[in-house]
Amino acid sequence: MRATEIKAFSPVHAANTDQAHGALNEAERHLAEQAAHRLYGEIKTVLGSLPPNERGASAMSRSLGIDRATCQRIVSTITQADRSPEMLVRMPGVQGLRQWIEAIRGKAVAGEGVLEAAGIAIDQFEDTLTRLAGSQRRLAQRLSASERFTPSPTEQTTAGEGAAREALFHAAAEITGRWSEASITIYAFRPSTENPRRMERLVAMGQIGHRSKTEAVPLVISSGRRRDEELVFTSLNQEQVEGASARALLEPFCSKPLPRITSRSGAGQIMHVIDPIETSQGDAVDMILANRTVQSVEHPAASSPAVEELWNLMSFPARRLVFDVYMHRELARISIPGMDMHLWGPELGEGVGDRWFIRFPSAPKLTLLGTGLRNAATPSYTRHAELTHYLFEQAGWPAGEFIGYRCEVSYPVWRAGYCMSFDFTGNELEPLPNT
């Protein structure tokens, strides 16, 4: 089975646009995409403020006293987790959305700030319709015309952008005193065998071909979740690791001598401080760390919002990024994958719907690797397939039960956050009864 790109529409250049059919040009499509991302995020936040038993179309219609068709279009659009311009056509009209917001305001279940933010997003939606088409029906026609032209790859890198990203790599390496040939991250999740509301997690991450100067900033590698859960770090054989220890390292994949590691874990995060390695000037080293948690982590379908977000934060510059996630088939079949890149800042800890304003307009490419590990190899790291097999074998997890996804980028943007998400909306678990 070949790896398959998970495609999304990219801007269509005006030079390729048949104006007789009214297809959107690059600037127009970018305008529609901005409106779609903002509207999706704000409407999803409002929807999440409703009680869980009122988030279905029928129950919502009865509770709010508005047309069921309006509720159905909202629920269906948000459940699909599609933030492309085509989403603007599937949403209810401007008046329908405003009626929905006012009905929720009357129920007093959402904060006024949340409702005002949604109202502004609806205003932008209306303005976008006016500027691009005048109505949803005409926008649908223009989008349909755009589909007849060949879309560009999701991660569309022009010569200028590629050169700028490479220049940023060299500048960041000079500033930080550190750089790598490749930054590697592999996550794997499966449902807990003991509690259906929990998941088990594996993660391996590290730097390949890493070089540093004497005056370099300290090297810290961390992993965690957006939810503030208490994470306890253990090695793959489930030995708890705290303080100075080399057990965090996957020794077969690390250069010798091994570095000194100090590991700390706490609310939502596991951190590893790596002391300088004594090497000859300019020598490159490989270091891969792996962990699993003693206690399983919360199943995203059991929380609100029902989204699992996995981040790769580019703390140090690298020529290549390889970011893999393997979801057990039971998780993969009830979730929708997505990929975004954000400016790195305090807002990364905010809710899913609150980050539209720090999102880069061009999303990185997300590739479906398929079942098992047959597509785990990559030229970015010659031992990547071996590393992935080793991770699953040491944990005792049958790799054939997992579906793989990959984001691979040349010259990833330094200090950007690459976010792979899995949206479980529509598959939420029932809340636990009060005890």
Side-chain angles (χ1 to χ4, degrees):
M1 179 177 179
R2 298 178 60 189
T4 305
E5 178 184 336
I6 300 176
K7 292 183 178 291
F9 287 98
S10 298
V12 179
H13 289 281
N16 295 329
T17 302
D18 183 347
Q19 296 295 345
H21 292 86
L24 298 179
N25 61 31
E26 181 179 4
E28 289 173 328
R29 189 165 187 98
H30 177 63
L31 181 68
E33 189 175 61
Q34 283 186 315
H37 271 265
R38 185 173 188 178
L39 186 65
Y40 175 89
E42 303 297 1
I43 295 300
K44 185 178 178 70
T45 299
V46 175
L47 184 61
S49 70
L50 294 174
N53 61 352
E54 294 181 10
R55 294 176 193 167
S58 297
M60 188 189 305
S61 175
R62 289 192 298 270
S63 173
L64 299 180
I66 61 176
D67 183 59
R68 186 186 183 282
T70 298
C71 297
Q72 180 60 48
R73 290 181 70 175
I74 292 171
V75 172
S76 175
T77 303
I78 296 301
T79 300
Q80 291 181 48
D82 177 16
R83 287 158 281 183
S84 70
E86 285 73 12
M87 187 210 77
L88 298 177
V89 176
R90 291 191 290 273
M91 272 286 188
V94 171
Q95 295 308 315
L97 287 173
R98 286 176 176 154
Q99 181 188 24
W100 182 70
I101 292 294
E102 287 306 310
I104 292 177
R105 179 175 279 113
K107 294 279 289 185
V109 294
E112 188 58 33
V114 169
L115 297 177
E116 287 183 359
I120 294 171
I122 294 169
D123 291 343
Q124 184 183 11
F125 173 34
E126 181 179 36
D127 181 65
T128 301
L129 285 177
T130 300
R131 294 173 63 179
L132 298 184
S135 68
Q136 284 178 293
R137 180 181 62 82
R138 289 174 182 164
L139 179 59
Q141 292 172 343
R142 297 200 68 190
L143 289 169
S144 177
S146 299
E147 293 176 16
R148 291 195 284 271
F149 300 96
T150 303
S152 304
T154 309
E155 185 198 5
Q156 181 176 350
T157 304
T158 64
E161 181 186 348
R165 281 162 44 170
E166 184 174 358
L168 179 60
F169 163 80
H170 290 292
E174 184 65 30
I175 292 170
T176 64
R178 296 188 178 278
W179 65 98
S180 299
E181 292 301 316
S183 177
I184 303 294
T185 300
I186 305 170
Y187 279 99
F189 291 88
R190 73 175 185 179
S192 170
T193 57
E194 299 177 355
N195 185 342
R197 302 181 66 84
R198 311 290 290 178
M199 297 189 303
E200 299 178 45
R201 186 191 79 159
L202 295 175
V203 59
M205 56 181 56
Q207 305 295 318
I208 303 301
H210 186 77
R211 292 176 169 85
S212 63
K213 300 178 181 179
T214 305
E215 65 275 18
V217 298
L219 178 58
V220 177
I221 298 177
S222 63
S223 66
R225 303 183 86 210
R226 182 174 54 80
R227 300 175 177 86
D228 292 331
E229 295 181 279
E230 188 73 19
L231 296 180
V232 179
F233 171 76
T234 60
S235 59
L236 292 185
N237 61 5
Q238 300 192 51
E239 292 182 90
Q240 187 167 338
V241 177
E242 283 286 346
S245 173
R247 285 177 294 168
L249 295 166
L250 290 187
E251 188 172 343
F253 299 90
C254 296
S255 303
K256 304 298 188 298
L258 295 175
R260 184 170 179 266
I261 303 286
T262 305
S263 301
R264 297 199 305 270
S265 56
Q269 192 174 50
I270 298 171
M271 296 179 58
H272 309 281
V273 180
I274 303 174
D275 288 345
I277 305 170
E278 296 296 331
T279 63
S280 301
Q281 185 66 29
D283 280 357
V285 298
D286 296 346
M287 59 188 85
I288 299 289
L289 302 94
N291 69 67
R292 62 192 299 182
T293 52
V294 172
Q295 300 167 337
S296 57
V297 295
E298 183 182 28
H299 194 304
S303 60
S304 179
V307 179
E308 179 67 20
E309 291 187 330
L310 303 166
W311 289 90
N312 196 309
L313 304 175
M314 294 304 299
S315 304
F316 302 100
R319 295 184 193 275
R320 298 285 296 178
L321 166 66
V322 183
F323 181 13
D324 290 352
V325 176
Y326 289 87
M327 283 284 180
H328 191 275
R329 59 194 177 205
E330 291 185 18
L331 299 172
R333 69 179 178 81
I334 60 172
S335 63
I336 300 173
M339 192 74 217
D340 278 317
M341 180 174 66
H342 297 265
L343 292 171
W344 189 352
E347 297 84 1
L348 290 187
E350 301 297 329
V352 175
D354 299 330
R355 297 195 217 98
W356 58 267
F357 54 92
I358 59 169
R359 174 187 170 273
F360 282 86
S362 297
K365 182 175 66 175
L366 180 60
T367 299
L368 174 65
L369 298 178
T371 303
L373 308 181
R374 66 187 72 184
N375 292 311
T378 170
S380 296
Y381 174 39
T382 57
R383 299 186 66 189
H384 194 73
E386 182 186 353
L387 169 63
T388 309
H389 280 273
Y390 183 87
L391 183 67
F392 277 86
E393 289 167 0
Q394 291 297 305
W397 290 13
E401 297 179 359
F402 290 78
I403 310 297
Y405 307 84
R406 172 173 293 168
C407 172
E408 188 165 11
V409 181
S410 298
Y411 294 109
V413 177
W414 178 52
R415 302 296 287 180
Y418 288 80
C419 179
M420 195 181 304
S421 62
F422 295 84
D423 196 320
F424 290 78
T425 303
N427 295 284
E428 291 91 345
L429 302 180
E430 290 296 323
L432 292 173
N434 294 327
T435 55

